[in-house]
Amino acid sequence: MFENSSEELAYHKLLILYILDKINMDLTNSQITQVVLETEMMNYFSLQQILSQLMESKFVTTHKDSNREYYSLTQKGFETLEYFLGRIPESVASKISDYITCNKENLLADTQVKSSFVKQSDNEFIVNLRVIENQSNLIDLNLNVSSEKQAKLICNNWKNNASYMYAEVIDLLIRDIH
């Protein structure tokens, strides 16, 4: 399919840009890796090299949120993808689109429940808990706790039970107490 390795490298870069565009949300390295490996587009080591090159070329950028690094497409990356989109075979585009359709909820769920904590002093930690839907906060809660152990426990419980806890908080807040 490819005449030389630089053509293959360019094709793989284009695939990563395509994935980031089609999924229409920021992804962590592990989420990108999951998509690429499960669709059998390339191996892990090639992916990591390509992500680094896409960052250097300013086609992709990263930002940190809740102690996680997220990748997103830049305008330059989007314009490059638009220009070279025809080089992605329809069968490959379809395979990626099918994967995203079947797995977007799982990927979305992973990025939409966020928890983190910051140490204020020896016995004061601020815990931040969030649920985000369509890039809008459904809940953004800050708690002040007295130990790192409590902070970690709250973060873990939130990650595992956020939808239940969110529903309970809403129910308590709208309930007529009288």
Side-chain angles (χ1 to χ4, degrees), residues 2-177:
F2 300 105
E3 293 176 25
N4 58 47
S5 61
S6 65
E7 190 176 322
E8 183 176 10
L9 184 62
Y11 173 72
H12 284 151
K13 287 179 182 179
L14 196 57
L15 287 178
I16 299 304
L17 297 177
Y18 184 77
I19 289 167
L20 286 170
D21 179 56
K22 285 297 168 195
I23 202 135
N24 199 25
M25 66 183 205
D26 298 347
L27 296 176
T28 64
N29 187 299
S30 62
Q31 291 169 320
I32 295 170
T33 301
Q34 178 184 341
V35 173
V36 167
L37 294 180
E38 289 183 10
T39 56
E40 301 173 341
M41 296 294 156
M42 67 192 85
N43 68 50
Y44 174 82
F45 299 105
S46 295
L47 170 62
Q48 297 311 312
Q49 176 188 1
I50 289 165
L51 278 174
S52 177
Q53 291 173 355
L54 287 170
M55 291 281 300
E56 288 172 19
S57 304
K58 308 258 189 280
F59 292 132
V60 171
T61 188
T62 61
H63 69 277
K64 285 197 186 262
D65 189 9
S66 299
N67 297 325
R68 295 176 82 184
E69 188 171 61
Y70 292 89
Y71 290 80
S72 59
L73 202 56
T74 64
Q75 185 62 32
K76 182 179 177 183
F78 179 75
E79 289 168 2
T80 302
L81 174 62
E82 275 192 326
Y83 188 77
F84 292 107
L85 191 58
R87 294 192 181 192
I88 298 176
E90 183 57 41
S91 61
V92 173
S94 180
K95 185 176 186 178
I96 292 170
S97 294
D98 290 347
Y99 179 86
I100 289 170
T101 300
C102 292
N103 295 284
K104 188 167 183 176
E105 288 300 316
N106 292 338
L107 292 167
L108 190 59
D110 186 36
T111 61
Q112 300 306 300
V113 174
K114 301 181 185 263
S115 64
S116 62
F117 65 90
V118 178
K119 183 177 182 177
Q120 295 294 101
S121 66
D122 286 342
N123 59 351
E124 184 180 13
F125 295 80
I126 305 296
V127 179
N128 177 251
L129 308 172
R130 291 190 290 159
V131 175
I132 302 168
E133 185 175 279
N134 297 326
Q135 300 178 355
S136 181
N137 283 335
L138 293 180
I139 188 169
D140 189 349
L141 181 63
N142 289 310
L143 304 170
N144 192 327
V145 297
S146 60
S147 73
E148 184 174 356
K149 183 179 178 182
Q150 285 178 329
K152 286 180 180 178
L153 182 61
I154 290 168
C155 287
N156 287 335
N157 284 336
W158 184 254
K159 285 179 185 174
N160 295 327
N161 303 297
S163 60
Y164 167 76
M165 291 178 182
Y166 171 72
E168 286 294 306
V169 167
I170 295 298
D171 185 50
L172 287 169
L173 291 172
I174 63 174
R175 185 180 301 157
D176 187 7
I177 297 181

